[in-house]
Amino acid sequence: MITTVLRILALLGLLAVATGSANAEVPLLHSACVAYVESAAIPKTASVANLPYACQRGARPAGTRWTWLRLDTARLGDIRSEWHLLIDQSRFKRMMVIVVRRDGTVRRVVRTSAELQDVGAPGGVLDFSFSDHGADLGALYLGFDKLDDLALVRSVAVATEAEAARSRDRWLILMGLFAGTLLSAFTYNVLIDRGSRFPFQRWYLAWITIALSYGLAWSNVAGMLIPGFVGPVVVSIDYILVGLLVAAGSMFFLSLVEDQLLPPWLQRSGRGLALTGLLAGLLAATNEVLFPPILMDRMLNLAVMASAIMAFFGIGYAIRRGSRVVWFYVIGWGPVIAIFALRVLRNFGIFPQGDMLDVAMFAALAFEAVILSLATSHRFSTLRNELDHERRSREWGLIEAEKLRHAALTDPLTGLGNRAAFQTALQTRITTGRAAPFTLFLIDIDHLKDVNDRLGHAAGDAMLCHIANRLAELAGANDATAVRLGGDEFAIVAADAEDRSARIETELARIQGAIWHHVDDRRALSLSIGSARCPRDGHEPDLLYRNADLALYQAKRLGRSLHHRYDAMLRTLLEVSTTFASDAETAMQRGEFELFLQPIVDLEEDRVVAYEGLLRWQHPKHGLLIPSQFGDILVEERIGPRVQDHVLDIALGLLRDNASEIPCLCVNFTSAQLSGPVAAKRVLARLAHFGVPPHALCIEVTEGVMLGRAADGVIGTLHALHDAGVRIALDDFGTGYASLSHLRQVRVDTLKIDRSFISALEHASDSAEEIVRAIIGLAHGLGKTVVAEGVENEAQMRILLELGCRYVQGYRFGRPLPWRAIGTVTAGRMAQPGNR
C-alpha cells in the first residue's frame, strides 16, 4: 500500500505538469462559428465555405444532418511546422475536415465512424495531422454527419507536433499510473480475504473494475490494444460505464457503512438512484433510439449529482451516529464527488471545456481507490472482530441453552425426565423399533388424590418422589428410560433385548403392595400399569402411546393395582369413540356442546381480565363429558373440523352477546384448525361475521400443535392472525424444550406456565421455583404476558406474586362453569380493582 500511495503522489505531480502545459494547445471550439445542412450528401468545399455561419450558438434545427464548424485560423499564424487537429470523441456517422490554403489548394479528409482506428490518440481525442504552416492557412472547416449534439463536444484544438507528442506521453504515463494504482488496489482487496466476501468488498471490487475499464476506454488507451475501439463506439461504452460507476458507487457506500446507521428511506433512495444511474447510462448509450442524446446525457449527469447528494446525506447520518469507516469514504470520495460535480457543470456549459478536469478526475479516482482499499481493510477487520465476538457469544448462548434444555427436559419435583424427554426417548426408540423391539409402560399412581387430601400435598409429593426413585433404579439397571409425564403419570421405555422388558415387568410387580412410610402413616403402594410393544402394537409414537393408554385404562377399569398389556379386545374402546363421533353430528344440532368458562385474574388489581373456554358435552346418554372422555372426535378427520368450527362459533357468540362482561375469551385450537393456506382467513371471516373485534379472541395452542408435523403451516397461520389483532397464547409452557428455540420465531402474546410447575412451588422444590422464575424472566424479556395455570391456594399465589407473575388461573379463583352460572360475581371483579 505504501508503493501505491507513492504512485498517487507521482500522479498528482503529473496532474500539475499536465494542467500547467495545457496552454500550449490552441483551443478553437468556443471561437468557432456554426452552420447546419439538411442534405446527407458530402458537400463540396465551395458550398461549405458559402454556408450561413452563425457565431452565436443556438439549438440545432430539426431535420438537419451535417453540423459544420468554421474554425478561426487567425490564431494559428505562429505555427511553423507540422501540426495536429485534436477533436474530442463524440458520436457521429461521418466526419470531414477541410483545409483551404491561401493559394487556393484544398485538402479534404473524410472518415466514417468505422474508419477511425488510425486517428485515435491518448487523451480521448481524434488526432488528424497536417504539414501546412499556420500562416499559409486560409480556412479550416470541421463537419459532422448526424452528430449527437454540438454541446456534447468537449474540445477542438490545434497543437504542434512536439506538443501533441508531449500530450500523448503525459496521458500514457497518467493512465499507466492510474491502471497500476487500481490494479494494486484490486489485488490487495482480492488477497485480503480468500474466503466468502462481504457485500461491500464485492461492490468495491466491481467499482474498481468499472473505473479501470472506464479510464482505459475514455482515454483511448484500450483502443491501442483493441483495433477499432475508438470514436463513437467508445462514447456509447463510456455512457454505460458511467452508469455502472454510479450504481456500484452507491451500492458500495450503502454496504460499507455499519449496519443500522442509515435510515431505511435513505437506503431505499440509494438503491433507487443506483438503478436510475444504470438505466440512464444504458439509455444514453442507445443514441437516439428512444430519447435525444442531449436529454439522456443530462439525465445521466443529474443521476450523478443525485447520487452525490445521497452520499452527502448518508455521510451526515453516519457521522452523527458514530460511524468510523465513513471517514475513509469522505476522504476518498470527497475529491471524486467534487470533480464529478465540476464535470457536470462543464457538461451543462457552466464551466469551460478542457482536459484539466479529465486529468484531475483520473487522479481522484486513483486516489479514491487507495483510500477505499484502506476503508475496506478497516471494515473487514471490524467485521472479523464482530464475528469473533458473535461466535463467542453464540458459544456461551449454547451453554446457557443446554442448561435451559436440561431444565426443560427434567421434571422439577422428581428429577426424572418430563414429557418432552419422554417424547424424545419414544421417538428415538421408534426409529429403531423394527430392528430392536421395545415396550412402552404407562404407570399411574392409584389413590394419590386421597393421599393429598388426607396427608397433604407434601405427603403426595413425597410419594411421587419415592416411586420416581424406584422407577429410576429399575430403569437404570435395565438400560431403560423413566419419565414423569405429569401429575401421577409415569412412563418407562425399555428395550426387549436380553429380556429387559420382562425384568422391568417383574420389578414393577414387586412395587405393587410395598409399604411406604411417611411420618407416622403407612400405606401400600398401588400402581395401574398399561403396556404396548413396538412394532407389534404400533410403530408410530401416537399410536403406540394410545394403545398403551388403552391398556392402562383397562387396568383401572379392572380394579387398579395391576398390569394390563394391550390386546385386540381393547379395540372395543375404539368403538366407543366411534359412537361418540356419530353422536357429535346430532349433538351440534341440539346444542349439546357448551363452553365452560374459567376466569384469568390480575392479582395486582384483583380483577378478571379474560376467561378460558373449556369444552363440555352434555350427552343425553352419558351425561356431562369432558374432552378426555370424547377428545378423540376432535382429531377425527371427518367430524373433527366441524366440531372445532362449531366450538369457535359458540365462543364468538359469547363474545358478541357479552362484550362488556367478557373482555377476552381464550379458546383452545387444534392443528387441524390452524393448518392450511386459508385457515387464518377462515377464522377472521368468522370474527367479522359475528362482529367481534380480533383482540377479543385469544387462541391457545400447545407446543405439540405449534411444533408438530404441520408446524410451518400452523406458524404461518398464527402470524397472520396475530398481525390481524388476534392474541396468541402458548399453553402448558415449560413441559418441553423445543419452544425455547422457536419462541422468537412465533408471535406469541402470552405464555401459560404448566400447572405441574405451579403445584411444586410450595413444597420446597428449588428447581421448580427456579424454572418458573426463568420462564417469567424469559417472557418479560421478550415482552410477553405470563399466566400461571393450576393455582389452587394462597401459598402458590403469594410465591407467584413474589416471582413477578401477575396473571393466574385455577381453582383458587373459580372452577370452570357455564357463563350463565358465573353470574355477576366474577364478572363484577372486572370493574373492582384493588378488592384483595
Side-chain angles (χ1 to χ4, degrees):
M1 294 304 294
I2 294 176
T3 303
T4 308
V5 173
L6 292 176
R7 287 176 176 173
I8 289 298
L9 295 176
L11 186 61
L12 294 177
L14 283 173
L15 171 61
V17 174
T19 55
S21 61
N23 293 329
E25 295 181 353
V26 181
L28 299 177
L29 180 62
H30 292 288
S31 61
C33 299
V34 186
Y36 298 97
V37 177
E38 293 182 1
S39 173
I42 297 177
K44 297 181 185 285
T45 302
S47 63
V48 171
N50 294 326
L51 290 174
Y53 289 95
C55 296
Q56 296 294 326
R57 304 272 179 92
R60 182 177 68 182
T64 58
R65 286 288 299 262
W66 282 89
T67 300
W68 283 97
L69 297 175
R70 186 178 66 196
L71 305 178
D72 185 6
T73 58
R75 305 179 63 189
L76 307 179
D78 295 335
I79 295 178
R80 293 289 183 266
S81 61
E82 184 174 345
W83 55 279
H84 294 254
L85 180 62
L86 306 178
I87 306 169
D88 182 34
Q89 294 190 125
S90 55
R91 290 188 295 193
F92 50 82
K93 184 177 181 181
R94 292 173 295 184
M95 69 173 297
M96 185 174 179
V97 180
I98 302 177
V99 178
V100 181
R101 301 181 183 89
R102 291 188 183 276
D103 60 7
T105 59
V106 177
R107 180 181 175 186
R108 296 159 56 95
V109 179
V110 180
R111 297 290 180 93
T112 67
S113 60
E115 299 172 342
L116 302 172
Q117 57 267 26
D118 61 332
V119 295
V125 296
L126 303 177
D127 186 342
F128 293 88
S129 63
F130 299 91
S131 58
D132 307 277
H133 286 200
D136 296 334
L137 295 177
L140 182 60
Y141 302 96
L142 174 62
F144 298 95
D145 181 18
K146 298 197 71 174
L147 179 68
D148 273 357
D149 197 285
L150 188 57
L152 300 180
V153 178
R154 176 173 55 98
S155 66
V156 176
V158 167
T160 64
E161 171 65 27
E163 179 54 34
R166 283 194 295 270
S167 177
R168 288 194 297 271
D169 293 342
R170 285 196 301 269
W171 274 104
L172 286 175
I173 295 173
L174 173 66
M175 297 314 299
L177 290 172
F178 172 77
T181 302
L182 266 64
L183 287 173
S184 296
F186 184 91
T187 304
Y188 173 76
N189 282 274
V190 167
L191 296 179
I192 192 175
D193 178 30
R194 300 187 182 184
S196 59
R197 304 189 184 283
F198 296 106
F200 68 86
Q201 290 177 286
R202 293 194 292 269
W203 281 116
Y204 178 59
L205 293 174
W207 182 87
I208 288 181
T209 303
I210 297 167
L212 179 61
S213 301
Y214 174 69
L216 297 178
W218 185 94
S219 65
N220 275 345
V221 173
M224 300 173 66
L225 303 175
I226 307 173
F229 194 68
V230 65
V233 64
V234 173
V235 175
S236 295
I237 295 297
D238 286 343
Y239 276 123
I240 296 175
L241 291 174
V242 170
L244 289 172
L245 274 178
V246 173
S250 298
M251 295 307 297
F252 171 72
F253 173 74
L254 295 176
S255 60
L256 177 69
V257 177
E258 295 88 342
D259 292 342
Q260 301 178 347
L261 289 186
L262 298 180
W265 68 266
L266 189 59
Q267 297 183 38
R268 290 193 296 270
S269 299
R271 287 189 287 268
L273 287 173
L275 180 60
T276 301
L278 178 59
L279 292 177
L282 292 173
L283 290 173
T286 58
N287 192 16
E288 290 191 296
V289 173
L290 297 175
F291 302 100
I294 187 67
L295 173 62
M296 293 317 304
D297 181 85
R298 298 298 184 252
M299 289 297 295
L300 181 56
N301 281 278
L302 289 175
V304 173
M305 291 299 295
S307 296
I309 294 172
M310 182 278 297
F312 174 79
F313 279 107
I315 289 169
Y317 267 100
I319 291 176
R320 189 175 65 181
R321 297 186 178 186
S323 172
R324 292 176 295 176
V325 73
V326 76
W327 289 107
F328 289 99
Y329 190 87
V330 172
I331 296 171
W333 276 73
V336 174
I337 291 175
I339 292 173
F340 261 97
L342 292 175
R343 291 189 82 207
V344 170
L345 295 177
R346 183 188 72 180
N347 294 341
F348 278 101
I350 300 173
F351 197 78
Q353 301 283 358
D355 285 348
M356 181 179 65
L357 285 179
D358 300 309
V359 174
M361 176 190 68
F362 291 114
L365 287 174
F367 175 74
E368 178 192 20
V370 174
I371 296 301
L372 294 188
S373 290
L374 298 175
T376 56
S377 176
H378 178 274
R379 185 78 173 107
F380 175 78
S381 177
T382 301
L383 287 174
R384 278 298 183 198
N385 292 336
E386 291 175 356
L387 289 175
D388 289 342
H389 176 72
E390 181 182 347
R391 178 183 55 79
R392 290 192 296 268
S393 299
R394 187 164 55 249
E395 290 173 355
W396 280 107
L398 290 174
I399 294 173
E400 293 298 323
E402 178 60 25
K403 292 180 180 178
L404 285 174
R405 189 193 72 83
H406 177 73
L409 285 171
T410 304
D411 176 62
L413 177 62
T414 64
L416 294 179
N418 61 7
R419 185 177 290 274
F422 165 72
Q423 292 171 347
T424 301
L426 187 59
Q427 184 62 53
T428 301
R429 293 287 188 181
I430 284 286
T431 57
T432 58
R434 295 182 182 274
F438 69 94
T439 301
L440 169 62
F441 296 89
L442 295 182
I443 305 160
D444 268 14
I445 301 176
D446 298 327
H447 315 303
L448 180 63
K449 184 178 184 301
D450 181 64
V451 174
N452 287 329
D453 293 341
R454 291 179 177 273
L455 304 180
H457 284 281
D461 289 347
M463 175 179 282
L464 286 171
C465 291
H466 173 76
I467 293 177
N469 291 335
R470 296 289 300 271
L471 296 179
E473 290 175 2
L474 67 90
N478 294 279
D479 194 23
T481 302
V483 299
R484 181 190 178 201
L485 298 178
D488 59 357
E489 301 177 55
F490 293 86
I492 295 178
V493 181
D496 285 351
E498 300 177 359
D499 296 327
R500 291 173 183 169
S501 295
R503 290 201 299 269
I504 289 176
E505 186 175 335
T506 301
E507 292 296 327
L508 287 174
R510 290 179 180 173
I511 297 176
Q512 298 281 18
I515 302 300
W516 170 70
H517 300 269
H518 180 73
V519 191
D520 296 329
D521 191 76
R522 293 162 51 88
R523 285 180 177 264
L525 297 177
S526 175
L527 306 176
S528 294
I529 306 168
S531 64
R533 189 171 180 268
C534 176
R536 183 191 63 195
D537 300 328
H539 51 78
E540 292 293 332
D542 292 342
L543 176 60
L544 189 66
Y545 179 85
R546 286 201 304 269
N547 288 342
D549 195 50
L550 285 174
L552 174 62
Y553 179 72
Q554 185 67 9
K556 291 181 177 180
R557 288 186 59 193
L558 296 176
R560 303 177 186 268
S561 192
L562 55 85
H563 171 211
H564 193 88
R565 300 179 187 86
Y566 174 80
D567 59 48
M569 293 298 295
L570 296 179
R571 295 185 182 275
T572 306
L573 296 174
L574 296 178
E575 296 177 1
V576 174
S577 177
T578 303
T579 302
F580 278 149
S582 300
D583 293 345
E585 185 71 45
T586 305
M588 288 188 288
Q589 298 174 2
R590 296 177 178 176
E592 295 173 5
F593 289 108
E594 186 174 1
L595 282 179
F596 279 33
L597 273 56
Q598 186 176 36
I600 299 174
V601 177
D602 182 343
L603 292 178
E604 293 186 5
E605 298 187 6
D606 192 24
R607 67 187 183 98
V608 177
V609 294
Y611 291 89
E612 180 177 358
L614 303 171
L615 183 60
R616 300 292 184 266
W617 183 357
Q618 189 64 54
H619 197 281
K621 179 179 179 181
H622 302 289
L624 186 66
L625 302 177
I626 61 177
S628 63
Q629 297 170 299
F630 64 86
D632 286 347
I633 70 168
L634 298 177
V635 295
E636 199 272 335
E637 292 183 0
R638 183 183 62 85
I639 195 63
R642 298 181 59 189
V643 174
Q644 294 160 3
D645 290 342
H646 179 67
V647 172
L648 178 59
D649 286 350
I650 294 174
L652 296 179
L654 283 172
L655 285 170
R656 178 195 59 198
D657 300 337
N658 304 277
S660 59
E661 289 85 12
I662 305 178
C664 180
L665 183 56
C666 303
V667 181
N668 289 281
F669 271 53
T670 65
S671 59
Q673 286 174 281
L674 297 172
S675 59
V678 297
K681 293 182 180 179
R682 185 166 59 246
V683 174
L684 294 175
R686 299 311 297 160
L687 282 165
H689 174 76
F690 281 87
V692 174
H695 64 79
L697 176 65
C698 177
I699 291 177
E700 288 195 11
V701 294
T702 62
E703 183 180 296
V705 170
M706 190 173 67
L707 303 175
R709 296 188 184 94
D712 292 341
V714 169
I715 290 176
T717 300
L718 292 177
H719 283 183
L721 292 172
H722 185 275
D723 290 342
V726 178
R727 303 178 188 180
I728 309 297
L730 183 55
D731 201 9
D732 299 335
F733 185 78
T735 58
Y737 66 88
S739 58
L740 295 176
S741 61
H742 291 78
L743 197 55
R744 291 189 303 173
Q745 304 174 19
V746 184
R747 298 174 183 173
V748 174
D749 300 289
T750 303
L751 301 182
K752 302 190 75 174
I753 304 176
D754 186 69
R755 64 181 66 249
S756 63
F757 296 106
I758 307 305
S759 64
L761 278 180
E762 57 179 317
H763 307 303
S765 176
D766 294 338
S767 58
E769 183 171 330
E770 288 304 315
I771 290 176
V772 172
R773 187 192 309 275
I775 293 173
I776 294 172
L778 174 66
H780 288 171
L782 295 174
K784 304 183 188 304
T785 303
V786 184
V787 175
E789 296 183 299
V791 179
E792 298 184 353
N793 54 54
E794 289 286 338
Q796 295 170 350
M797 183 180 71
R798 285 195 300 272
I799 293 173
L800 288 169
L801 272 174
E802 292 174 359
L803 294 177
C805 183
R806 179 174 178 176
Y807 303 99
V808 296
Q809 174 184 352
Y811 288 174
R812 166 65 180 79
F813 305 96
R815 293 177 178 271
L817 293 172
W819 175 250
R820 60 182 178 275
I822 293 178
T824 60
V825 178
T826 56
R829 296 178 69 173
M830 293 172 52
Q832 301 176 18
N835 280 351
R836 186 177 298 117

mmCIF file of all heavy atoms in Angstrom, residues 109 502 747:
data_model
loop_
_atom_site.group_PDB
_atom_site.id
_atom_site.type_symbol
_atom_site.label_atom_id
_atom_site.label_comp_id
_atom_site.label_asym_id
_atom_site.label_seq_id
_atom_site.Cartn_x
_atom_site.Cartn_y
_atom_site.Cartn_z
ATOM 1 N N VAL A 109 -10.384 15.569 -45.731
ATOM 2 C CA VAL A 109 -10.279 14.276 -45.037
ATOM 3 C C VAL A 109 -11.681 13.846 -44.638
ATOM 4 O O VAL A 109 -12.375 14.576 -43.910
ATOM 5 C CB VAL A 109 -9.378 14.369 -43.788
ATOM 6 C CG1 VAL A 109 -9.322 13.014 -43.083
ATOM 7 C CG2 VAL A 109 -7.991 14.856 -44.166
ATOM 8 N N ALA A 502 -39.107 -57.846 30.366
ATOM 9 C CA ALA A 502 -39.652 -58.827 31.312
ATOM 10 C C ALA A 502 -39.148 -58.546 32.725
ATOM 11 O O ALA A 502 -39.903 -58.663 33.711
ATOM 12 C CB ALA A 502 -39.262 -60.237 30.877
ATOM 13 N N ARG A 747 -45.036 -15.503 16.907
ATOM 14 C CA ARG A 747 -45.597 -14.288 17.514
ATOM 15 C C ARG A 747 -46.607 -14.681 18.580
ATOM 16 O O ARG A 747 -47.803 -14.800 18.316
ATOM 17 C CB ARG A 747 -46.226 -13.416 16.443
ATOM 18 C CG ARG A 747 -45.193 -12.945 15.417
ATOM 19 C CD ARG A 747 -45.831 -12.206 14.274
ATOM 20 N NE ARG A 747 -44.836 -11.843 13.281
ATOM 21 C CZ ARG A 747 -45.113 -11.303 12.099
ATOM 22 N NH1 ARG A 747 -46.348 -11.067 11.763
ATOM 23 N NH2 ARG A 747 -44.155 -11.011 11.257
#
